[in-house]
Amino acid sequence: MSQKRCKIFPLIFTLLLLTSGPAISENFLSFATLEWEPYIGKNLPNQGYVAEIVKLAYEKAGYRVEYKFMPWARVVMMTKNGKFDGYLPEYYAEELRENFLVSDPFPGGPLGLFKRKNETIVYKTIQDLKPYKI
């Protein structure tokens, strides 16, 4: 049984670090994040692959990383106010560069769109899907 799947756009994860945030204690970084399974979550193995990628990268540079999970609005606000060294994941937006150093994207799962096999939906762009309830 084959399912036709189209990629709408990739998830872009960026790691955001404050340009003038809290004093980074020696070899320790504190990041704010949210529960966003299957990418990141406190109950996932290794807190999810997003957390694991970042943690391993910083470990190679000699840092220990800790994550604090909370609602997204609090993640952003508390990091902007200097309570954390950075937050992740985040979709890229140019205005983030006003307050943060933004990493290059790291691998994320592509978002996909599925339709029922018995329906014919023809489209070439995302705009062609406007008439449909998704």
Side-chain angles (χ1 to χ4, degrees):
M1 174 171 20
S2 77
Q3 298 236 354
K4 191 170 187 175
R5 181 176 147 197
C6 76
K7 294 179 185 175
I8 297 196
F9 53 89
L11 283 174
I12 299 174
F13 296 106
T14 53
L15 173 68
L16 300 165
L17 293 172
L18 285 171
T19 55
S20 59
I24 297 173
S25 63
E26 194 165 324
N27 299 336
F28 176 78
L29 295 169
S30 178
F31 292 112
T33 190
L34 76 165
E35 296 280 343
W36 191 11
E37 294 182 6
Y39 310 106
I40 193 164
K42 61 183 161 193
N43 296 319
L44 293 173
N46 299 316
Q47 297 180 310
Y49 86 91
V50 170
E52 189 172 17
I53 288 170
V54 172
K55 191 173 197 171
L56 288 172
Y58 276 106
E59 282 178 358
K60 284 185 176 255
Y63 289 89
R64 188 171 56 88
V65 171
E66 179 180 274
Y67 296 103
K68 175 74 174 173
F69 290 85
M70 61 188 71
W72 189 246
R74 194 174 309 152
V75 164
V76 175
M77 178 191 65
M78 291 182 76
T79 306
K80 277 185 180 178
N81 291 335
K83 304 293 184 197
F84 295 95
D85 298 305
Y87 74 91
L88 72 150
E90 176 65 283
Y91 289 102
Y92 178 79
E94 189 61 34
E95 60 268 12
L96 293 170
R97 293 188 178 275
E98 293 173 23
N99 297 304
F100 300 99
L101 295 174
V102 182
S103 75
D104 290 334
F106 53 96
L111 294 177
L113 177 66
F114 297 85
K115 70 165 191 72
R116 288 185 208 98
K117 282 185 168 185
N118 62 348
E119 292 183 12
T120 302
I121 299 174
V122 179
Y123 62 93
K124 291 185 181 180
T125 70
I126 192 98
Q127 297 302 318
D128 297 336
L129 298 173
K130 275 189 170 184
Y132 302 99
K133 184 174 181 178
I134 298 176

